[in-house]
Amino acid sequence: VNEILKIYREAEELVEKYDLDKTVLYEYAAFLFHQNRFEEADTLAGKLSWYYSNPTLKVKEEEKAELYNLLGVVYSKTQRYAEAEAAYDKMLEIYSRLAERNPEAYEQSLASSCGNLGCLYSYTQRYDKAEDAFDKAKEILIRLAERSPEDESTLAWIYTNLGSLYRETQRYDEAETAFVKSLEIRTT
């Protein structure tokens, strides 16, 4: 891990010194996040956000959405829920627009975005909004799973989150149904 960190730090310096492609900074921030180094990931993602907001840079919409997702999870882990929600909302806006133009390429990302926002709402006890977000993700993923079995794992994750939400809101029969559905998907 230390060797990887050293390489990423050197790459970060080169990116800034020579104004290179910023993608490596996203990868570095994501790596830091997965190493539970949230403050460092936050700092780097903030730099990326600043770069991406520069109108002279031609940043792909998908890259912006990925950055907003990273910011959302970093902000959630550091208990900055309003900032996480704003980042997730921007991500959802971008993926909604992209999925409208090219559903096959972006509906899976849209569904995952809804799931991430649903998790935030659920964690902050906004259960009605969480359920709406999970239901939207479920609707998309059921349709996608019919065509592509690899989407089933994300669908199982949504059912697990719905089960937890139903349990938290004392809707035990619905919770059991959702958990069973998740298990069925995972074991087939």
Side-chain angles (χ1 to χ4, degrees), residues 6-187:
K6 181 181 173 195
I7 292 168
Y8 272 128
R9 285 187 188 116
E10 289 171 3
E12 179 185 5
E13 289 174 16
L14 291 172
V15 165
E16 291 179 10
K17 184 175 181 178
Y18 296 107
D19 196 30
L20 302 174
D21 182 13
K22 311 300 184 223
T23 307
V24 72
L25 297 181
Y26 172 83
E27 293 167 5
Y28 182 22
F31 175 79
L32 291 169
F33 172 79
H34 290 293
Q35 297 299 311
N36 295 325
R37 298 171 76 143
F38 304 124
E39 296 302 321
E40 291 172 84
D42 180 21
T43 300
L44 197 53
K47 272 187 193 178
L48 252 181
S49 185
W50 181 82
Y51 287 135
Y52 283 8
S53 67
N54 182 340
T56 62
L57 291 178
K58 301 293 182 213
V59 180
K60 295 177 185 172
E61 288 281 279
E62 185 175 353
E63 289 177 359
K64 288 180 183 179
E66 290 170 358
L67 173 64
Y68 288 129
N69 181 59
L70 179 61
L71 287 168
V73 294
V74 168
Y75 293 153
S76 291
K77 288 288 186 181
T78 55
Q79 300 177 353
R80 293 159 52 197
Y81 301 119
E83 290 171 275
E85 184 175 358
Y88 284 145
D89 283 343
K90 288 178 182 176
M91 173 185 63
L92 192 60
E93 179 184 315
I94 292 169
Y95 278 133
S96 294
R97 198 169 44 248
L98 291 172
E100 197 173 290
R101 287 186 232 146
N102 188 349
E104 286 193 23
Y106 294 105
E107 277 194 322
Q108 211 296 330
S109 297
L110 177 61
S112 294
S113 299
C114 292
N116 287 346
L117 191 56
C119 287
L120 175 69
Y121 288 146
S122 190
Y123 190 79
T124 56
Q125 300 178 347
R126 293 179 284 166
Y127 298 118
D128 289 342
K129 284 185 163 197
E131 187 171 359
D132 289 344
F134 290 141
D135 283 343
K136 183 174 181 180
K138 181 178 73 170
E139 176 187 317
I140 294 167
L141 290 165
I142 287 171
R143 188 175 62 253
L144 292 177
E146 291 172 359
R147 295 187 308 237
S148 175
E150 67 252 11
D151 292 311
E152 288 183 347
S153 64
T154 308
L155 181 58
W157 170 68
I158 293 297
Y159 276 116
T160 299
N161 284 313
L162 276 167
S164 296
L165 181 146
Y166 295 146
R167 185 187 60 227
E168 286 295 314
T169 57
Q170 300 178 359
R171 294 156 56 190
Y172 301 114
D173 290 341
E174 290 172 276
E176 181 180 4
T177 301
F179 285 133
V180 166
K181 188 69 176 165
S182 177
L183 284 172
E184 286 173 352
I185 292 169
R186 292 174 197 269
T187 57

